[in-house]
Amino acid sequence: MTIPDYLTELLETYWFAPPVALWRAVELRAAAAEEYEAPVLDLGCGDGLVAQVLFGTEGQVDVGVDPWPAQLRRAARLGAYRHVDLADGHRLPYANLTFATIISNSVLEHIPDVLPVLHEVQRVLMPGGRFIFTVPSDAFRYFLDGYIRRKERGDMQGAEAYAAAVDARLEHYHYYSPSDWRHMLASVGMEMTEARYYVPEEVERLWDRMNNRYGIGRRWSAWGLLVSHRLRSLGYQDSLRRTLVRNLSRRWQPYYEMDVPPGEKGGGLLVVARKKE
Ligand SMILES: C[S@@+](CC[C@H](N)C(=O)[O-])C[C@H]1O[C@@H](n2cnc3c(N)ncnc32)[C@H](O)[C@@H]1O
């Protein structure tokens, strides 16, 4: 099967933050393997870029919902959604049994208490409807390059501190396992039908190293300055973008195409759950 080249497409979009493109491309590869029956709700749609790459710009996603006004305004402009709503996943402004599919990409890990959100998802899904979501997995912290290197030196305290700093920077509140998700989903009347790891350890280690190299999440970095809007008028950023996209889409392709070996974990987890009939 040919693998769609989300990596190049996302490097074009996120050229100023290349590791973001790498993670999201692998995530989209995982999500693209699923089917999305309409009507579809994108829960925590953000700026809508991921939905745009996955579904195109012809309004194929019925509704995008997010509590962040600036992000939602961008999503509205993209054209991937028929409609967008400013709302929180804890109180979805929809009638019972409205959607056949709810997708949620990299959202639930940012919500400290997910059970009320799962209740809402169950309420607005039709019987037999599916909830498809991606989250960082229970292996995420242990596959960070910075964590592994410290652990190999016997510095467990340093490894924990490193992972805790990443949690804080990314605002991740939890890393549930497939079994945790199964139980939580069952408690709201949903059955987990699939849990698939993506982002092999080697890919997450590269992603973590690249976050450090490009200074992602740091207040100041040389790369951050080079790609900042303030320097746009100097005119070099277009050629920098082209060179970066050309080089990284080639160098990172083998990582992008790498699968999690059977029986092993990955740093990302895709879960599919079905509302009981
Ligand atoms: C990492 S972004 C992902 C955005 C988008 N799904 C994507 O893949 O690009 C996380 C999103 O979750 C949204 N979010 C945070 N808390 C939320 C909540 N309680 N209900 C719904 N969305 C929430 C944020 O506003 C943000 O847009």
Side-chain angles (χ1 to χ4, degrees):
M1 200 182 78
T2 347
I3 297 174
D5 189 4
Y6 294 129
L7 179 61
T8 307
E9 198 168 345
L10 287 175
L11 280 168
E12 290 280 1
T13 306
Y14 295 106
W15 67 276
F16 50 88
V20 173
L22 176 65
W23 187 280
R24 299 197 142 208
V26 177
E27 196 159 66
L28 278 180
R29 246 195 85 197
E34 299 301 322
E35 289 193 358
Y36 300 88
E37 193 187 328
V40 178
L41 169 69
D42 185 355
L43 172 60
C45 63
D47 61 11
L49 275 166
V50 162
Q52 186 203 27
V53 175
L54 193 58
F55 296 99
T57 51
E58 302 296 314
Q60 284 179 46
V61 183
D62 297 271
V63 183
V65 66
D66 202 285
W68 188 349
Q71 294 286 84
L72 199 70
R73 276 196 293 276
R74 283 196 210 146
R77 284 198 295 268
L78 278 185
Y81 304 102
R82 294 211 169 93
H83 180 78
V84 295
D85 283 314
L86 184 70
D88 195 286
H90 293 87
R91 280 174 304 278
L92 291 172
Y94 312 111
N96 296 354
L97 321 180
T98 302
F99 297 100
T101 309
I102 299 181
I103 59 169
S104 193
N105 188 61
S106 293
V107 174
L108 298 183
E109 67 273 24
H110 302 293
I111 303 178
D113 182 8
V114 283
L115 266 182
V117 178
L118 298 183
H119 269 290
E120 279 295 85
V121 163
Q122 193 272 355
R123 181 182 67 76
V124 303
L125 269 180
M126 297 167 179
R130 297 196 314 152
F131 182 34
I132 302 169
F133 63 90
T134 60
V135 281
S137 78
D138 50 323
F140 175 85
R141 296 180 105 228
Y142 314 115
F143 286 178
L144 292 167
D145 189 67
Y147 181 95
I148 292 171
R149 279 189 294 110
R150 285 166 178 78
K151 187 178 159 199
E152 282 171 354
R153 290 201 300 266
D155 178 12
M156 276 318 293
Q157 218 178 339
E160 279 302 324
Y162 182 86
V166 172
D167 296 343
R169 172 167 63 80
L170 298 176
E171 296 179 37
H172 286 174
Y173 291 103
H174 44 74
Y175 301 102
Y176 294 129
S177 68
S179 142
D180 297 329
W181 284 115
R182 180 186 300 283
H183 286 112
M184 282 190 289
L185 287 158
S187 76
V188 303
M190 299 201 48
E191 182 196 3
M192 188 174 89
T193 55
E194 196 183 338
R196 199 154 31 87
Y197 286 106
Y198 58 92
V199 188
E201 177 178 333
E202 205 178 329
V203 179
E204 183 169 327
R205 292 192 71 169
L206 171 74
W207 171 80
D208 189 37
R209 285 196 302 277
M210 293 303 111
N211 276 326
N212 290 325
R213 177 176 300 173
Y214 287 100
I216 307 296
R218 260 190 255 138
R219 219 174 257 166
W220 191 90
S221 71
W223 175 256
L225 179 65
L226 210 58
V227 300
S228 74
H229 278 284
R230 275 176 296 153
L231 300 191
R232 191 172 243 175
S233 57
L234 296 182
Y236 63 85
Q237 290 187 351
D238 265 353
S239 78
L240 178 65
R241 176 180 57 75
R242 279 196 300 276
T243 311
L244 179 129
V245 171
R246 195 173 50 243
N247 289 344
L248 291 187
S249 60
R250 201 184 52 238
R251 287 222 314 262
W252 289 358
Q253 197 69 23
Y255 292 93
Y256 168 62
E257 294 190 356
M258 217 178 266
D259 288 319
V260 172
E264 289 186 19
K265 292 186 178 187
L269 183 67
L270 181 139
V271 174
V272 182
R274 184 179 293 277
K275 175 168 171 172
K276 293 186 181 143
E277 301 274 354

